[in-house]
Amino acid sequence: MRKTCLIIAGLLVSFVANAAPNPEMIVVCYPGGLVNAKDANEAMSSMLRVLERVGQWQENSFISLFTAKADECRQRMAEKRPKFAITSLGLYLELRSQHNLVPIVQPMIKGLTHERYRVMVQKDKYKSLDELKGKSLGGTVLEEQSYIGKIVFAGKYDPASFFALKKSNQAIRALRALDKGELDAVILNEQQFGGLGSLHLQTPLAAVFTSEEIPLMGVVANSATTTAEERARFSKALEGMCADTEGKKLCELFGVEAFAAVDPTVFEPMVKLWDKGS
C-alpha cells in the first residue's frame, strides 16, 4: 500500500538543487501518510520534470514542501500562501475560504474520480456501526477526525466521542492488529480497501459501514493570486502528463490512470456537509 500513499504526494515536486530563479512553491499535504523519503523524493522530482516539460515551463520552475501532518500543513499554507497546493479533501474544505482555494484537477483511479470509505471488522463479530460505540477504531485517515465525522460519516457520528480512536500511520499495521483481535475495527479509504486481498489475513473481514461516493482531491489553486489562464495552464499540463511517454510510466507507478479537470459542482455537496457540521 506504500505506493498509494504517493498518489497525491507524487503529483508534483521535490527538493531541487538547481532551481530556476524564484521557483514557485507548492505545498503538498498528505495527512496521516507514511511515505519513504527516498521514494518520495525520487517520485516527486521525476513528476515535476515531466510536468514542466509538458506545460512548457522552464526546468526547475517549481519546488515543493511536503508534510504528512495536518497541523504542519495549516502552518505552511499560512506561511507560504502558495498559488497551487495538493491537499486532502478535508484540508481543502477547512482552508478553502481562508486561502481562496478552488479545485482544478482530480486524479482518476480505476476509471473513477471518487472513492468510498469503509469500516472493516472481523466477519460476524459486529453487524453495524452502532455496535462499535466505545470500541477501538484504527486507521491512517484518523489524522483528520473532523473530515471523517462531517464528510465520511455525513455528520451522523463524531469519531472522537463515539469510538476509542487508535490512529496509525500504516494501514497494514492497523489491519494486522484487527486480524489479531487487537482492534475492533479499521477505517479504510478506497485504495487501502483495494489492497486487502494481497495481505492474506487469517480472519475474514467484512464492512459494517460504507460511505457515499466522495470525490478524490488533487490540486487546488488560490483564486486570488492566480489568473484563470494560470489555472487552466496548470490543469492542462497535469491532464497531459499520463499521455506523455515518460509521464505514463510514472502514472502507472502511482496507480493513476489520468488527471481530470474538475467539475466544481462535484464538491458542492461536500461543502454543504462540512458547513453543516461546523
Side-chain angles (χ1 to χ4, degrees):
M1 293 184 186
R2 178 176 292 174
K3 74 174 185 179
T4 62
C5 293
L6 295 172
I7 290 172
I8 299 302
L11 293 176
L12 292 175
V13 298
S14 191
F15 311 95
V16 182
N18 299 304
N22 301 315
E24 193 70 53
M25 171 66 73
I26 299 174
V27 174
V28 182
C29 304
Y30 189 83
L34 179 66
V35 179
N36 178 278
K38 182 176 181 295
D39 291 345
N41 289 343
E42 292 177 356
M44 290 189 288
S45 182
S46 297
M47 273 292 201
L48 174 59
R49 302 287 80 78
V50 175
L51 178 74
E52 290 167 340
R53 178 166 50 77
V54 173
Q56 298 184 338
W57 283 285
Q58 179 183 348
E59 188 175 3
N60 298 329
S61 291
F62 300 99
I63 59 173
S64 75
L65 185 61
F66 173 80
T67 177
K69 300 293 184 181
D71 285 343
E72 187 173 329
C73 180
R74 296 181 186 100
Q75 182 180 350
R76 297 295 179 255
M77 289 291 287
E79 291 174 350
K80 305 300 181 182
R81 301 195 66 83
K83 288 186 174 181
F84 298 97
I86 300 171
T87 71
S88 65
L89 177 56
L91 283 168
Y92 156 70
L93 292 168
E94 176 187 339
L95 301 175
R96 71 188 191 283
S97 297
Q98 182 181 350
H99 297 290
N100 306 294
L101 301 180
V102 292
I104 62 170
V105 70
Q106 292 179 276
M108 181 177 291
I109 303 172
K110 295 183 179 179
L112 302 174
T113 55
H114 62 259
E115 64 176 335
R116 295 180 187 270
Y117 287 72
R118 295 169 177 84
V119 174
M120 308 299 298
V121 299
Q122 290 187 0
K123 189 176 181 181
D124 298 326
K125 188 171 184 179
Y126 300 100
K127 298 296 184 182
S128 70
L129 204 59
D130 289 331
E131 292 183 14
L132 288 171
K133 186 174 183 179
K135 304 296 184 180
S136 58
L137 175 68
T140 64
V141 299
L142 296 175
E143 175 74 15
E144 297 186 273
Q145 293 177 31
S146 293
Y147 166 71
I148 297 300
K150 295 178 182 180
I151 303 301
V152 176
F153 293 145
K156 297 176 182 178
Y157 300 89
D158 172 46
S161 61
F162 192 83
F163 304 100
L165 298 181
K166 305 292 182 181
K167 292 191 293 184
S168 172
N169 57 11
Q170 288 184 298
I172 292 175
R173 182 176 296 174
L175 286 165
R176 286 176 176 163
L178 174 62
D179 189 39
K180 297 175 182 177
E182 298 169 354
L183 283 174
D184 295 303
V186 173
I187 183 169
L188 302 176
N189 62 27
E190 192 76 47
Q191 289 73 45
Q192 293 165 345
F193 177 75
L196 273 178
S198 64
L199 296 184
H200 306 295
L201 300 175
Q202 298 300 310
T203 306
L205 303 183
V208 292
F209 169 83
T210 301
S211 74
E212 298 295 326
E213 292 180 357
I214 297 174
L216 290 170
M217 177 53 68
V219 179
V220 298
N222 185 322
S223 61
T225 58
T226 60
T227 64
E229 290 76 16
E230 286 178 309
R231 295 192 293 273
R233 181 183 181 187
F234 209 95
S235 176
K236 186 176 180 181
L238 281 169
E239 289 176 68
M241 180 175 291
C242 295
D244 176 84
T245 302
E246 183 181 353
K248 182 178 180 181
K249 296 177 183 178
L250 291 166
C251 289
E252 290 174 349
L253 175 65
F254 301 134
V256 176
E257 297 170 5
F259 295 107
V262 166
D263 175 359
T265 62
V266 303
F267 290 98
E268 290 177 0
M270 304 297 103
V271 171
K272 290 179 181 178
L273 277 175
W274 184 269
D275 291 344
K276 181 180 179 181
S278 299

